[in-house]
Amino acid sequence: MDQLPKLRPVGRLERCSTARHHLKFYHNVAVAATYTLPRTFTLPIKAYVYKACEILIGQHPILTAVPIGEETKEPYFVRLPNIDLSQSVSFQERKHGFPGADDQDEELDALLNIEHNVGFELPLPFWRLVVLTDDADDIESRLTVVFVFHHAISDGTSGKVFHKSFLQALQSLSSLTADDVKEVVPSPNSPLLPPGEAIHPQPVSISYLATQWFKAKVYDPRDPGLWTGSEIKVPLETKAKHFVLPQHISSTLRERSREHKSTITTALQVLIARALFTHLPETFTKVACTSAISTRRFLPPPITDDTMGVWVQEYIEGFARNDLSDTASFPWSEAVRSRATLAKELGKEGRDASVNLLRYVDDYHKDLYLSKVGHHRGTTFEVSNIGAFPAGKAAEGMARIGRVVFSQSASVTGNAFEVSVASGGDGCLVLTFTWQVGVVEDLFILNVMESVRQEMYDLCV
């Protein structure tokens, strides 16, 4: 590996993921999408998947890059000479067929519970595909493509970009022949796209820096009523489960959010916080939510909505029991308040964000992760929403995309649980909950999920 061409140093935010991956504190991210291939696609499914992968490898340089020296203070990216798809793409036939339009995909959950507990090892790429197939339909072929990737090479939005590119690739393969398909794909010579700090100043005001330094080094009082699950502990074992909102409920929830001058994301924050207070003892009066936002809107070319990499930051929103639980009706005012927090964060255009403080971190492994084991978490849950794929029918004879499911590994030093959100071409909103074994009880999370799901229905019928 030392002989491979060095591309660039791993960026600051990317280094968070190389450090925690090395420590086994966080393993990966996944975005799964179900595709339908038209009857004119007569070759085996593997041929179309392999060819689509070849096209994407040529389009997105990060798919051939791997970080070297995750255990060091100065990791860097190198380029693999080629990608052997037989080593990075696997196929599994479904045992129970594809779920119905509004049903949960239990086979996908079972797969995610395996994949989110497996990291990456050199010399293989730091991504993999698992393709779930079903041979029951003789007219059209359906497949669920699960893109699993290291967080240092892509963020959640990049998982969406991958599938957008994958769909476009499939739609270009109507005349594919067996001779066109490669198992080993040579890597392109394209340079890696830059990390955020290379193209954005990431400014930090003196007041913001002083406040964060004081909290980190002097005194950061913890509200005794804040619930954040157990103390930070190892080892990491992730559990994952998703639920699907039917298309008519999903579209109504979007309409309700717009009517009340909120958003899907901020409404979800309130829904989850309310569900937590329903199932937590009365002594817990506060919860804190972190939400991820893409920074691509602040960045100049070549970074766009169609590039793959890691350009993201987060902000925190707090919720109090008295503001959420003292009313039988849904408190839209709290969702509006949360939207104002989001608008304020976006208005800073990357200034005074927590990611900007990474320039002051010397030892990521120790300072950001190892030193926190045994201590309280700072926040309760995360909501990360990669948004919607365009709905609508593809042209006749074209591949089309349906259900999309976004998920991620639990994080040892992160929230008590994560909620990853996406909406596919079928118009269904999907929420995936992931949590660390021993940090929260399975039954507690399942009860919270059911309360969220039920209130979503109550809001939309």
Side-chain angles (χ1 to χ4, degrees), residues 202-209 345 348 350-354 356:
Q202 297 186 342
V204 176
S205 67
I206 292 177
S207 60
Y208 177 77
L209 180 60
E345 192 69 25
K348 293 191 296 185
R351 300 185 302 275
D352 287 349
S354 58
N356 302 359

Side-chain angles (χ1 to χ4, degrees), residues 265 269 289-293 313-316 381-384:
T265 299
Q269 292 174 352
C289 168
T290 64
S291 272
I293 56 175
Q313 67 183 56
E314 65 180 23
Y315 70 99
I316 298 175
F381 66 98
E382 174 185 324
V383 174
S384 184

Side-chain angles (χ1 to χ4, degrees), residues 360-372:
Y360 304 110
V361 178
D362 175 55
D363 188 329
Y364 279 55
H365 301 80
K366 178 183 176 182
D367 298 342
L368 298 182
Y369 303 111
L370 291 172
S371 63
K372 296 182 179 179

Side-chain angles (χ1 to χ4, degrees), residues 17 73 194 216 266 415 444:
S17 290
K73 290 185 178 182
T266 58
N415 295 274
F444 175 79

Side-chain angles (χ1 to χ4, degrees), residues 200-233:
H200 189 285
Q202 297 186 342
V204 176
S205 67
I206 292 177
S207 60
Y208 177 77
L209 180 60
T211 299
Q212 299 305 313
W213 181 88
F214 187 85
K215 288 181 178 180
K217 301 295 185 180
V218 182
Y219 184 57
D220 186 13
R222 178 183 174 86
D223 190 319
L226 175 65
W227 180 82
T228 57
S230 80
E231 75 282 356
I232 294 169
K233 61 174 65 176

Side-chain angles (χ1 to χ4, degrees), residues 121-291:
E121 293 185 8
L122 300 170
L124 292 177
F126 275 33
W127 60 270
R128 56 184 177 263
L129 289 191
V130 184
V131 182
L132 296 175
T133 62
D134 179 20
D135 293 334
D137 193 333
D138 295 331
I139 300 176
E140 294 182 313
S141 297
R142 281 193 293 175
L143 59 155
T144 298
V145 178
V146 187
F147 176 48
V148 185
F149 53 96
H150 192 302
H151 209 344
I153 69 167
S154 285
D155 53 23
T157 298
S158 298
K160 182 178 175 182
V161 171
F162 179 93
H163 282 290
K164 180 179 177 181
S165 300
F166 200 84
L167 176 63
Q168 292 170 344
L170 289 176
Q171 291 178 338
S172 71
L173 300 181
S174 58
S175 59
L176 184 69
T177 66
D179 291 339
D180 295 329
V181 180
K182 298 176 184 176
E183 185 172 280
V184 179
V185 179
S187 296
N189 293 321
S190 309
L192 283 193
L193 293 171
E197 67 268 20
I199 49 176
H200 189 285
Q202 297 186 342
V204 176
S205 67
I206 292 177
S207 60
Y208 177 77
L209 180 60
T211 299
Q212 299 305 313
W213 181 88
F214 187 85
K215 288 181 178 180
K217 301 295 185 180
V218 182
Y219 184 57
D220 186 13
R222 178 183 174 86
D223 190 319
L226 175 65
W227 180 82
T228 57
S230 80
E231 75 282 356
I232 294 169
K233 61 174 65 176
V234 293
L236 171 61
E237 180 184 349
T238 295
K239 286 201 171 181
K241 189 172 181 61
H242 76 278
F243 71 80
V244 179
L245 278 186
Q247 191 276 333
H248 69 284
I249 296 293
S250 300
S251 59
T252 302
L253 182 61
R254 291 187 186 91
E255 291 170 5
R256 295 279 191 275
S257 297
R258 283 195 294 266
E259 289 170 5
H260 290 88
K261 296 180 172 54
S262 176
T263 68
I264 284 283
T265 299
T266 58
L268 287 175
Q269 292 174 352
V270 177
L271 283 159
I272 295 164
R274 268 169 67 89
L276 281 167
F277 287 130
T278 298
H279 297 287
L280 285 171
E282 294 286 332
T283 51
F284 291 109
T285 57
K286 301 285 180 62
V287 294
C289 168
T290 64
S291 272

Side-chain angles (χ1 to χ4, degrees), residues 34 121 155 158 171 177 242 299 302 307 325 342-343 398 404 442:
T34 294
E121 293 185 8
D155 53 23
S158 298
Q171 291 178 338
T177 66
H242 76 278
L299 302 179
T307 51
S325 304
L342 171 59
M398 299 286 281
V404 172
D442 295 359

